[in-house]
Short mmCIF file of all heavy atoms in Angstrom, two decimals:
data_model
loop_
_atom_site.label_atom_id
_atom_site.label_comp_id
_atom_site.label_asym_id
_atom_site.label_seq_id
_atom_site.Cartn_x
_atom_site.Cartn_y
_atom_site.Cartn_z
N MET A 1 74.75 -44.77 146.12
CA MET A 1 73.34 -44.57 145.83
C MET A 1 72.67 -45.93 145.80
O MET A 1 73.12 -46.85 145.17
CB MET A 1 73.20 -43.88 144.47
CG MET A 1 71.80 -43.83 143.99
SD MET A 1 71.55 -43.27 142.29
CE MET A 1 73.06 -42.57 141.80
N SER A 2 71.59 -46.04 146.49
CA SER A 2 70.87 -47.31 146.48
C SER A 2 70.07 -47.45 145.19
O SER A 2 69.81 -46.47 144.49
CB SER A 2 69.93 -47.39 147.69
OG SER A 2 68.96 -46.38 147.61
N ASN A 3 69.69 -48.66 144.90
CA ASN A 3 68.91 -48.93 143.70
C ASN A 3 67.57 -48.20 143.79
O ASN A 3 66.86 -48.33 144.77
CB ASN A 3 68.72 -50.44 143.55
CG ASN A 3 68.10 -50.82 142.23
OD1 ASN A 3 67.75 -49.98 141.43
ND2 ASN A 3 67.98 -52.10 142.01
N LEU A 4 67.23 -47.46 142.77
CA LEU A 4 66.00 -46.68 142.76
C LEU A 4 64.77 -47.53 142.42
O LEU A 4 63.66 -47.19 142.80
CB LEU A 4 66.12 -45.52 141.77
CG LEU A 4 67.26 -44.54 142.01
CD1 LEU A 4 67.35 -43.55 140.86
CD2 LEU A 4 67.07 -43.81 143.31
N TRP A 5 64.99 -48.61 141.68
CA TRP A 5 63.89 -49.48 141.26
C TRP A 5 63.36 -50.29 142.44
O TRP A 5 64.13 -50.77 143.26
CB TRP A 5 64.35 -50.43 140.16
CG TRP A 5 63.30 -51.44 139.80
CD1 TRP A 5 63.24 -52.73 140.20
CD2 TRP A 5 62.15 -51.22 139.00
NE1 TRP A 5 62.12 -53.34 139.69
CE2 TRP A 5 61.42 -52.44 138.95
CE3 TRP A 5 61.64 -50.13 138.31
CZ2 TRP A 5 60.24 -52.57 138.23
CZ3 TRP A 5 60.46 -50.27 137.60
CH2 TRP A 5 59.78 -51.48 137.57
N LYS A 6 62.05 -50.44 142.50
CA LYS A 6 61.42 -51.27 143.53
C LYS A 6 60.45 -52.24 142.87
O LYS A 6 59.80 -51.90 141.89
CB LYS A 6 60.67 -50.39 144.53
CG LYS A 6 61.57 -49.46 145.29
CD LYS A 6 60.79 -48.60 146.25
CE LYS A 6 61.78 -47.71 146.97
NZ LYS A 6 61.26 -46.42 147.28
N GLN A 7 60.35 -53.41 143.41
CA GLN A 7 59.44 -54.43 142.88
C GLN A 7 57.99 -53.94 142.88
O GLN A 7 57.18 -54.40 142.09
CB GLN A 7 59.55 -55.72 143.69
CG GLN A 7 60.88 -56.45 143.52
CD GLN A 7 61.10 -56.92 142.10
OE1 GLN A 7 61.87 -56.33 141.37
NE2 GLN A 7 60.43 -57.96 141.71
N ASP A 8 57.68 -52.99 143.74
CA ASP A 8 56.33 -52.43 143.79
C ASP A 8 55.93 -51.77 142.47
O ASP A 8 54.74 -51.57 142.21
CB ASP A 8 56.22 -51.37 144.90
CG ASP A 8 56.37 -51.96 146.29
OD1 ASP A 8 56.25 -53.19 146.44
OD2 ASP A 8 56.59 -51.17 147.23
N TYR A 9 56.91 -51.42 141.65
CA TYR A 9 56.63 -50.74 140.39
C TYR A 9 56.21 -51.70 139.27
O TYR A 9 55.82 -51.26 138.20
CB TYR A 9 57.84 -49.94 139.93
CG TYR A 9 58.32 -48.89 140.90
CD1 TYR A 9 59.67 -48.56 140.97
CD2 TYR A 9 57.45 -48.23 141.76
CE1 TYR A 9 60.12 -47.60 141.86
CE2 TYR A 9 57.89 -47.27 142.65
CZ TYR A 9 59.23 -46.95 142.70
OH TYR A 9 59.69 -46.01 143.57
N LEU A 10 56.35 -52.99 139.49
CA LEU A 10 56.03 -53.97 138.46
C LEU A 10 54.57 -53.90 138.05
O LEU A 10 53.67 -53.76 138.87
CB LEU A 10 56.34 -55.39 138.94
CG LEU A 10 57.81 -55.76 139.04
CD1 LEU A 10 57.96 -57.13 139.69
CD2 LEU A 10 58.47 -55.75 137.67
N LEU A 11 54.34 -54.01 136.74
CA LEU A 11 52.99 -54.04 136.19
C LEU A 11 52.61 -55.43 135.69
O LEU A 11 51.51 -55.64 135.23
CB LEU A 11 52.88 -53.04 135.02
CG LEU A 11 53.16 -51.58 135.37
CD1 LEU A 11 53.14 -50.74 134.10
CD2 LEU A 11 52.15 -51.06 136.37
N ASP A 12 53.57 -56.36 135.74
CA ASP A 12 53.41 -57.71 135.22
C ASP A 12 53.16 -57.73 133.71
O ASP A 12 52.45 -58.59 133.19
CB ASP A 12 52.30 -58.47 135.97
CG ASP A 12 52.68 -58.74 137.42
OD1 ASP A 12 53.89 -58.98 137.68
OD2 ASP A 12 51.79 -58.71 138.29
N ILE A 13 53.76 -56.77 133.03
CA ILE A 13 53.81 -56.74 131.57
C ILE A 13 55.30 -56.69 131.25
O ILE A 13 55.94 -55.65 131.41
CB ILE A 13 53.08 -55.50 130.99
CG1 ILE A 13 51.63 -55.46 131.47
CG2 ILE A 13 53.16 -55.51 129.46
CD1 ILE A 13 50.91 -54.16 131.16
N ASP A 14 55.85 -57.84 130.87
CA ASP A 14 57.31 -58.00 130.78
C ASP A 14 58.01 -56.88 130.03
O ASP A 14 58.98 -56.30 130.53
CB ASP A 14 57.67 -59.35 130.17
CG ASP A 14 57.32 -60.52 131.07
OD1 ASP A 14 57.12 -60.30 132.29
OD2 ASP A 14 57.24 -61.65 130.56
N THR A 15 57.54 -56.57 128.83
CA THR A 15 58.21 -55.56 128.01
C THR A 15 58.20 -54.20 128.70
O THR A 15 59.22 -53.52 128.77
CB THR A 15 57.54 -55.44 126.63
OG1 THR A 15 57.62 -56.72 125.99
CG2 THR A 15 58.21 -54.41 125.76
N ILE A 16 57.06 -53.82 129.23
CA ILE A 16 56.93 -52.53 129.90
C ILE A 16 57.76 -52.50 131.18
O ILE A 16 58.46 -51.51 131.45
CB ILE A 16 55.45 -52.21 130.19
CG1 ILE A 16 54.62 -52.18 128.89
CG2 ILE A 16 55.31 -50.90 130.97
CD1 ILE A 16 55.09 -51.17 127.86
N ASP A 17 57.71 -53.57 131.95
CA ASP A 17 58.50 -53.62 133.19
C ASP A 17 59.99 -53.50 132.90
O ASP A 17 60.71 -52.78 133.60
CB ASP A 17 58.22 -54.92 133.96
CG ASP A 17 56.86 -54.92 134.62
OD1 ASP A 17 56.30 -53.82 134.88
OD2 ASP A 17 56.33 -56.01 134.88
N GLU A 18 60.48 -54.17 131.87
CA GLU A 18 61.90 -54.08 131.51
C GLU A 18 62.26 -52.68 131.07
O GLU A 18 63.33 -52.16 131.41
CB GLU A 18 62.25 -55.11 130.43
CG GLU A 18 62.27 -56.53 130.93
CD GLU A 18 63.20 -56.73 132.13
OE1 GLU A 18 64.36 -56.26 132.09
OE2 GLU A 18 62.77 -57.34 133.12
N GLN A 19 61.37 -52.04 130.31
CA GLN A 19 61.64 -50.68 129.88
C GLN A 19 61.64 -49.73 131.07
O GLN A 19 62.48 -48.83 131.16
CB GLN A 19 60.64 -50.23 128.82
CG GLN A 19 60.87 -50.93 127.50
CD GLN A 19 59.94 -50.44 126.41
OE1 GLN A 19 59.08 -49.59 126.63
NE2 GLN A 19 60.09 -51.00 125.22
N HIS A 20 60.72 -49.91 132.00
CA HIS A 20 60.70 -49.06 133.19
C HIS A 20 61.99 -49.24 133.99
O HIS A 20 62.57 -48.25 134.46
CB HIS A 20 59.49 -49.39 134.07
CG HIS A 20 58.20 -48.87 133.51
ND1 HIS A 20 56.98 -49.27 134.00
CD2 HIS A 20 57.93 -47.99 132.51
CE1 HIS A 20 56.02 -48.64 133.32
NE2 HIS A 20 56.57 -47.88 132.41
N LYS A 21 62.45 -50.48 134.13
CA LYS A 21 63.72 -50.72 134.83
C LYS A 21 64.87 -50.00 134.14
O LYS A 21 65.75 -49.43 134.78
CB LYS A 21 64.01 -52.22 134.91
CG LYS A 21 63.13 -52.96 135.88
CD LYS A 21 63.44 -54.46 135.84
CE LYS A 21 62.46 -55.25 136.68
NZ LYS A 21 62.70 -56.70 136.60
N HIS A 22 64.84 -50.03 132.80
CA HIS A 22 65.90 -49.37 132.04
C HIS A 22 65.87 -47.86 132.27
O HIS A 22 66.92 -47.22 132.35
CB HIS A 22 65.78 -49.71 130.56
CG HIS A 22 66.97 -49.32 129.76
ND1 HIS A 22 68.21 -49.87 129.96
CD2 HIS A 22 67.11 -48.41 128.77
CE1 HIS A 22 69.07 -49.33 129.11
NE2 HIS A 22 68.43 -48.42 128.39
N PHE A 23 64.68 -47.27 132.36
CA PHE A 23 64.58 -45.85 132.70
C PHE A 23 65.28 -45.56 134.02
O PHE A 23 66.01 -44.57 134.15
CB PHE A 23 63.11 -45.41 132.84
CG PHE A 23 62.48 -44.96 131.55
CD1 PHE A 23 61.36 -45.61 131.07
CD2 PHE A 23 62.98 -43.89 130.84
CE1 PHE A 23 60.75 -45.20 129.90
CE2 PHE A 23 62.38 -43.47 129.67
CZ PHE A 23 61.27 -44.13 129.19
N PHE A 24 65.06 -46.39 135.01
CA PHE A 24 65.69 -46.19 136.32
C PHE A 24 67.21 -46.31 136.20
O PHE A 24 67.94 -45.54 136.83
CB PHE A 24 65.14 -47.20 137.33
CG PHE A 24 63.85 -46.76 137.96
CD1 PHE A 24 62.65 -46.92 137.29
CD2 PHE A 24 63.83 -46.20 139.23
CE1 PHE A 24 61.44 -46.51 137.86
CE2 PHE A 24 62.63 -45.80 139.82
CZ PHE A 24 61.44 -45.95 139.12
N GLU A 25 67.69 -47.26 135.42
CA GLU A 25 69.13 -47.43 135.22
C GLU A 25 69.73 -46.19 134.55
O GLU A 25 70.80 -45.71 134.94
CB GLU A 25 69.42 -48.66 134.38
CG GLU A 25 69.10 -49.97 135.08
CD GLU A 25 69.09 -51.17 134.12
OE1 GLU A 25 69.46 -51.00 132.94
OE2 GLU A 25 68.68 -52.25 134.57
N MET A 26 69.05 -45.70 133.52
CA MET A 26 69.54 -44.53 132.80
C MET A 26 69.55 -43.30 133.70
O MET A 26 70.50 -42.52 133.69
CB MET A 26 68.67 -44.28 131.55
CG MET A 26 68.77 -45.39 130.52
SD MET A 26 67.66 -45.13 129.12
CE MET A 26 68.65 -44.00 128.15
N THR A 27 68.51 -43.14 134.50
CA THR A 27 68.43 -42.01 135.41
C THR A 27 69.53 -42.10 136.46
O THR A 27 70.18 -41.09 136.79
CB THR A 27 67.05 -41.96 136.08
OG1 THR A 27 66.05 -41.87 135.05
CG2 THR A 27 66.92 -40.78 137.01
N ALA A 28 69.77 -43.29 136.99
CA ALA A 28 70.85 -43.48 137.97
C ALA A 28 72.20 -43.12 137.37
O ALA A 28 73.05 -42.51 138.04
CB ALA A 28 70.85 -44.91 138.49
N GLN A 29 72.40 -43.45 136.10
CA GLN A 29 73.65 -43.10 135.43
C GLN A 29 73.82 -41.58 135.35
O GLN A 29 74.90 -41.06 135.61
CB GLN A 29 73.70 -43.70 134.02
CG GLN A 29 74.95 -43.30 133.26
CD GLN A 29 74.91 -43.70 131.80
OE1 GLN A 29 73.85 -43.93 131.24
NE2 GLN A 29 76.06 -43.77 131.19
N ILE A 30 72.75 -40.89 135.03
CA ILE A 30 72.81 -39.42 134.95
C ILE A 30 73.14 -38.84 136.33
O ILE A 30 73.95 -37.92 136.45
CB ILE A 30 71.50 -38.86 134.38
CG1 ILE A 30 71.38 -39.27 132.90
CG2 ILE A 30 71.44 -37.34 134.53
CD1 ILE A 30 70.01 -39.02 132.29
N ILE A 31 72.52 -39.38 137.35
CA ILE A 31 72.80 -38.91 138.72
C ILE A 31 74.27 -39.13 139.07
O ILE A 31 74.93 -38.24 139.62
CB ILE A 31 71.87 -39.61 139.73
CG1 ILE A 31 70.42 -39.14 139.52
CG2 ILE A 31 72.32 -39.35 141.16
CD1 ILE A 31 69.39 -39.98 140.25
N ARG A 32 74.80 -40.33 138.74
CA ARG A 32 76.21 -40.61 139.03
C ARG A 32 77.13 -39.64 138.29
O ARG A 32 78.11 -39.14 138.84
CB ARG A 32 76.55 -42.05 138.67
CG ARG A 32 76.04 -43.08 139.66
CD ARG A 32 76.61 -44.46 139.41
NE ARG A 32 76.33 -44.97 138.08
CZ ARG A 32 75.24 -45.63 137.72
NH1 ARG A 32 74.29 -45.89 138.61
NH2 ARG A 32 75.07 -46.07 136.48
N LEU A 33 76.82 -39.38 137.02
CA LEU A 33 77.63 -38.45 136.24
C LEU A 33 77.59 -37.04 136.84
O LEU A 33 78.61 -36.37 136.93
CB LEU A 33 77.16 -38.41 134.78
CG LEU A 33 77.46 -39.64 133.94
CD1 LEU A 33 76.69 -39.58 132.62
CD2 LEU A 33 78.95 -39.77 133.69
N ALA A 34 76.40 -36.60 137.23
CA ALA A 34 76.26 -35.27 137.81
C ALA A 34 77.04 -35.15 139.12
O ALA A 34 77.61 -34.10 139.40
CB ALA A 34 74.78 -34.95 138.03
N GLU A 35 77.06 -36.22 139.90
CA GLU A 35 77.80 -36.20 141.17
C GLU A 35 79.30 -36.10 140.94
O GLU A 35 80.03 -35.64 141.82
CB GLU A 35 77.47 -37.45 141.99
CG GLU A 35 76.07 -37.44 142.54
CD GLU A 35 75.67 -38.75 143.23
OE1 GLU A 35 76.35 -39.78 143.04
OE2 GLU A 35 74.66 -38.73 143.94
N LYS A 36 79.77 -36.53 139.78
CA LYS A 36 81.20 -36.52 139.47
C LYS A 36 81.59 -35.37 138.55
O LYS A 36 82.68 -35.36 137.99
CB LYS A 36 81.60 -37.84 138.81
CG LYS A 36 81.44 -39.03 139.72
CD LYS A 36 81.81 -40.31 139.00
CE LYS A 36 81.59 -41.50 139.92
NZ LYS A 36 81.91 -42.76 139.29
N LEU A 37 80.70 -34.41 138.41
CA LEU A 37 80.92 -33.29 137.49
C LEU A 37 82.22 -32.57 137.84
O LEU A 37 82.36 -32.02 138.93
CB LEU A 37 79.74 -32.33 137.58
CG LEU A 37 79.67 -31.22 136.55
CD1 LEU A 37 79.54 -31.83 135.15
CD2 LEU A 37 78.50 -30.32 136.83
N ARG A 38 83.17 -32.65 136.92
CA ARG A 38 84.48 -32.05 137.18
C ARG A 38 84.97 -31.17 136.04
O ARG A 38 85.74 -30.27 136.24
CB ARG A 38 85.51 -33.15 137.43
CG ARG A 38 85.26 -33.90 138.72
CD ARG A 38 86.48 -34.72 139.10
NE ARG A 38 86.25 -35.33 140.40
CZ ARG A 38 85.95 -36.60 140.56
NH1 ARG A 38 85.85 -37.41 139.54
NH2 ARG A 38 85.72 -37.07 141.78
N ASP A 39 84.56 -31.50 134.82
CA ASP A 39 85.10 -30.78 133.68
C ASP A 39 84.09 -30.76 132.54
O ASP A 39 83.00 -31.30 132.66
CB ASP A 39 86.41 -31.42 133.21
CG ASP A 39 86.26 -32.91 132.91
OD1 ASP A 39 85.21 -33.33 132.38
OD2 ASP A 39 87.21 -33.66 133.20
N ASP A 40 84.47 -30.13 131.43
CA ASP A 40 83.57 -30.03 130.28
C ASP A 40 83.21 -31.39 129.71
O ASP A 40 82.13 -31.58 129.18
CB ASP A 40 84.21 -29.18 129.18
CG ASP A 40 84.27 -27.71 129.57
OD1 ASP A 40 83.50 -27.31 130.47
OD2 ASP A 40 85.07 -26.97 128.98
N ASN A 41 84.12 -32.37 129.83
CA ASN A 41 83.86 -33.72 129.35
C ASN A 41 82.70 -34.34 130.13
O ASN A 41 81.86 -35.04 129.56
CB ASN A 41 85.12 -34.58 129.45
CG ASN A 41 84.97 -35.91 128.75
OD1 ASN A 41 84.30 -36.02 127.73
ND2 ASN A 41 85.60 -36.93 129.30
N SER A 42 82.64 -34.08 131.42
CA SER A 42 81.54 -34.58 132.24
C SER A 42 80.23 -33.98 131.80
O SER A 42 79.20 -34.67 131.73
CB SER A 42 81.78 -34.25 133.72
OG SER A 42 82.94 -34.89 134.20
N VAL A 43 80.23 -32.70 131.50
CA VAL A 43 79.02 -32.03 131.05
C VAL A 43 78.55 -32.66 129.73
O VAL A 43 77.35 -32.94 129.56
CB VAL A 43 79.24 -30.51 130.88
CG1 VAL A 43 78.05 -29.84 130.22
CG2 VAL A 43 79.55 -29.86 132.22
N GLU A 44 79.47 -32.91 128.83
CA GLU A 44 79.13 -33.53 127.54
C GLU A 44 78.53 -34.92 127.75
O GLU A 44 77.56 -35.29 127.09
CB GLU A 44 80.36 -33.61 126.63
CG GLU A 44 80.07 -34.19 125.26
CD GLU A 44 79.08 -33.37 124.45
OE1 GLU A 44 79.02 -32.15 124.60
OE2 GLU A 44 78.34 -33.99 123.64
N LYS A 45 79.09 -35.69 128.67
CA LYS A 45 78.56 -37.03 128.95
C LYS A 45 77.14 -36.95 129.52
O LYS A 45 76.29 -37.78 129.18
CB LYS A 45 79.48 -37.78 129.91
CG LYS A 45 80.76 -38.24 129.27
CD LYS A 45 81.63 -38.97 130.27
CE LYS A 45 82.93 -39.41 129.63
NZ LYS A 45 83.81 -40.07 130.59
N ILE A 46 76.89 -35.97 130.36
CA ILE A 46 75.54 -35.80 130.91
C ILE A 46 74.56 -35.42 129.80
O ILE A 46 73.45 -35.95 129.73
CB ILE A 46 75.54 -34.76 132.05
CG1 ILE A 46 76.29 -35.32 133.26
CG2 ILE A 46 74.10 -34.37 132.43
CD1 ILE A 46 76.52 -34.31 134.36
N ILE A 47 74.97 -34.52 128.93
CA ILE A 47 74.11 -34.12 127.82
C ILE A 47 73.79 -35.33 126.94
O ILE A 47 72.64 -35.54 126.53
CB ILE A 47 74.77 -32.99 126.99
CG1 ILE A 47 74.80 -31.70 127.83
CG2 ILE A 47 74.05 -32.77 125.67
CD1 ILE A 47 75.66 -30.60 127.25
N GLN A 48 74.78 -36.16 126.66
CA GLN A 48 74.55 -37.37 125.87
C GLN A 48 73.61 -38.33 126.59
O GLN A 48 72.72 -38.92 125.97
CB GLN A 48 75.88 -38.06 125.57
CG GLN A 48 76.75 -37.31 124.60
CD GLN A 48 78.14 -37.93 124.46
OE1 GLN A 48 78.49 -38.88 125.15
NE2 GLN A 48 78.94 -37.36 123.57
N ALA A 49 73.78 -38.48 127.90
CA ALA A 49 72.93 -39.38 128.67
C ALA A 49 71.48 -38.90 128.69
O ALA A 49 70.54 -39.69 128.57
CB ALA A 49 73.47 -39.53 130.10
N VAL A 50 71.28 -37.60 128.84
CA VAL A 50 69.93 -37.05 128.83
C VAL A 50 69.31 -37.22 127.43
O VAL A 50 68.13 -37.56 127.31
CB VAL A 50 69.92 -35.57 129.27
CG1 VAL A 50 68.57 -34.93 129.05
CG2 VAL A 50 70.32 -35.46 130.73
N GLY A 51 70.09 -37.04 126.40
CA GLY A 51 69.61 -37.26 125.04
C GLY A 51 69.20 -38.71 124.83
O GLY A 51 68.16 -39.00 124.20
N ALA A 52 69.99 -39.64 125.35
CA ALA A 52 69.65 -41.07 125.23
C ALA A 52 68.37 -41.38 126.00
O ALA A 52 67.53 -42.16 125.54
CB ALA A 52 70.80 -41.92 125.75
N LEU A 53 68.21 -40.75 127.16
CA LEU A 53 66.99 -40.94 127.96
C LEU A 53 65.78 -40.44 127.18
O LEU A 53 64.74 -41.11 127.13
CB LEU A 53 67.12 -40.22 129.30
CG LEU A 53 65.96 -40.35 130.27
CD1 LEU A 53 65.76 -41.80 130.69
CD2 LEU A 53 66.21 -39.47 131.48
N ARG A 54 65.90 -39.31 126.53
CA ARG A 54 64.80 -38.76 125.72
C ARG A 54 64.44 -39.70 124.58
O ARG A 54 63.26 -40.01 124.37
CB ARG A 54 65.23 -37.40 125.16
CG ARG A 54 64.20 -36.76 124.26
CD ARG A 54 64.78 -35.45 123.67
NE ARG A 54 63.84 -34.82 122.79
CZ ARG A 54 63.72 -35.08 121.49
NH1 ARG A 54 64.51 -35.98 120.93
NH2 ARG A 54 62.84 -34.45 120.76
N THR A 55 65.44 -40.19 123.87
CA THR A 55 65.21 -41.11 122.76
C THR A 55 64.52 -42.38 123.26
O THR A 55 63.56 -42.86 122.65
CB THR A 55 66.54 -41.47 122.08
OG1 THR A 55 67.12 -40.26 121.57
CG2 THR A 55 66.34 -42.47 120.95
N TYR A 56 64.99 -42.90 124.37
CA TYR A 56 64.41 -44.12 124.94
C TYR A 56 62.97 -43.88 125.39
O TYR A 56 62.11 -44.75 125.25
CB TYR A 56 65.26 -44.64 126.10
CG TYR A 56 64.91 -46.05 126.48
CD1 TYR A 56 65.35 -47.12 125.71
CD2 TYR A 56 64.15 -46.30 127.61
CE1 TYR A 56 65.02 -48.42 126.06
CE2 TYR A 56 63.82 -47.61 127.96
CZ TYR A 56 64.25 -48.65 127.18
OH TYR A 56 63.92 -49.93 127.53
N ALA A 57 62.70 -42.69 125.91
CA ALA A 57 61.33 -42.36 126.35
C ALA A 57 60.37 -42.42 125.17
O ALA A 57 59.26 -42.97 125.29
CB ALA A 57 61.30 -40.98 126.99
N PHE A 58 60.77 -41.90 124.02
CA PHE A 58 59.90 -41.96 122.84
C PHE A 58 59.63 -43.41 122.44
O PHE A 58 58.50 -43.77 122.11
CB PHE A 58 60.50 -41.18 121.67
CG PHE A 58 60.35 -39.69 121.81
CD1 PHE A 58 61.47 -38.87 121.87
CD2 PHE A 58 59.09 -39.10 121.90
CE1 PHE A 58 61.34 -37.50 122.01
CE2 PHE A 58 58.95 -37.72 122.03
CZ PHE A 58 60.08 -36.92 122.09
N LEU A 59 60.67 -44.24 122.46
CA LEU A 59 60.50 -45.67 122.14
C LEU A 59 59.54 -46.30 123.14
O LEU A 59 58.61 -47.04 122.76
CB LEU A 59 61.84 -46.39 122.19
CG LEU A 59 61.77 -47.92 122.16
CD1 LEU A 59 61.36 -48.39 120.77
CD2 LEU A 59 63.10 -48.52 122.55
N HIS A 60 59.72 -46.03 124.41
CA HIS A 60 58.89 -46.61 125.45
C HIS A 60 57.43 -46.20 125.30
O HIS A 60 56.53 -47.03 125.36
CB HIS A 60 59.41 -46.21 126.83
CG HIS A 60 58.51 -46.61 127.94
ND1 HIS A 60 58.32 -47.93 128.30
CD2 HIS A 60 57.70 -45.86 128.75
CE1 HIS A 60 57.45 -47.98 129.30
NE2 HIS A 60 57.07 -46.73 129.58
N PHE A 61 57.18 -44.92 125.09
CA PHE A 61 55.80 -44.45 124.97
C PHE A 61 55.13 -45.06 123.74
O PHE A 61 53.93 -45.38 123.77
CB PHE A 61 55.73 -42.94 124.95
CG PHE A 61 56.18 -42.32 126.25
CD1 PHE A 61 56.94 -41.18 126.27
CD2 PHE A 61 55.85 -42.89 127.47
CE1 PHE A 61 57.35 -40.59 127.46
CE2 PHE A 61 56.26 -42.34 128.68
CZ PHE A 61 57.01 -41.17 128.66
N LYS A 62 55.88 -45.26 122.67
CA LYS A 62 55.33 -45.92 121.49
C LYS A 62 54.96 -47.36 121.82
O LYS A 62 53.92 -47.86 121.41
CB LYS A 62 56.31 -45.86 120.34
CG LYS A 62 55.79 -46.41 119.04
CD LYS A 62 56.67 -46.04 117.89
CE LYS A 62 56.15 -46.55 116.59
NZ LYS A 62 54.91 -45.98 116.15
N THR A 63 55.81 -48.03 122.61
CA THR A 63 55.53 -49.41 123.03
C THR A 63 54.27 -49.45 123.87
O THR A 63 53.42 -50.33 123.70
CB THR A 63 56.72 -49.98 123.84
OG1 THR A 63 57.89 -49.93 123.04
CG2 THR A 63 56.44 -51.42 124.27
N GLU A 64 54.12 -48.51 124.79
CA GLU A 64 52.94 -48.50 125.65
C GLU A 64 51.64 -48.27 124.87
O GLU A 64 50.60 -48.78 125.25
CB GLU A 64 53.08 -47.43 126.75
CG GLU A 64 53.99 -47.83 127.87
CD GLU A 64 53.96 -46.88 129.03
OE1 GLU A 64 53.66 -45.68 128.86
OE2 GLU A 64 54.26 -47.35 130.15
N GLU A 65 51.74 -47.51 123.79
CA GLU A 65 50.54 -47.27 122.98
C GLU A 65 50.07 -48.57 122.37
O GLU A 65 48.95 -48.85 122.17
CB GLU A 65 50.84 -46.27 121.86
CG GLU A 65 50.97 -44.86 122.36
CD GLU A 65 51.32 -43.89 121.23
OE1 GLU A 65 51.40 -44.31 120.05
OE2 GLU A 65 51.52 -42.72 121.53
#
């Protein structure tokens, strides 16, 4: 899988740009886990990753405010 992040997405606000990059990294991890789905352990890891993404989204939106 190629890197999903593109320099075109930069807003030139360091904190926000870093958080946006982290969203892309977290999403790529979920995609990789889903592609390797083999057993119940994989499903649990995906659920944990999605939960972490949700938690991070709340932090990010608070930062943007």
Side-chain angles (χ1 to χ4, degrees):
M1 170 189 347
S2 63
N3 189 356
L4 301 173
W5 174 259
K6 296 180 180 146
Q7 291 297 104
D8 294 344
Y9 302 149
L10 287 173
L11 300 174
D12 293 325
I13 304 169
D14 291 343
T15 300
I16 300 301
D17 287 336
E18 288 305 313
Q19 288 183 359
H20 286 167
K21 287 177 187 177
H22 192 64
F23 272 121
F24 276 80
E25 291 167 7
M26 295 176 83
T27 302
Q29 177 189 21
I30 292 168
I31 292 167
R32 284 190 302 273
L33 288 168
E35 290 173 344
K36 295 178 182 179
L37 190 62
R38 292 194 175 104
D39 55 37
D40 289 340
N41 190 34
S42 297
V43 172
E44 182 62 31
K45 287 180 181 178
I46 291 172
I47 291 168
Q48 290 172 356
V50 171
L53 182 62
R54 178 184 179 272
T55 299
Y56 194 77
F58 284 119
L59 169 71
H60 172 69
F61 294 140
K62 185 167 181 65
T63 302
E64 283 189 333
E65 287 178 3

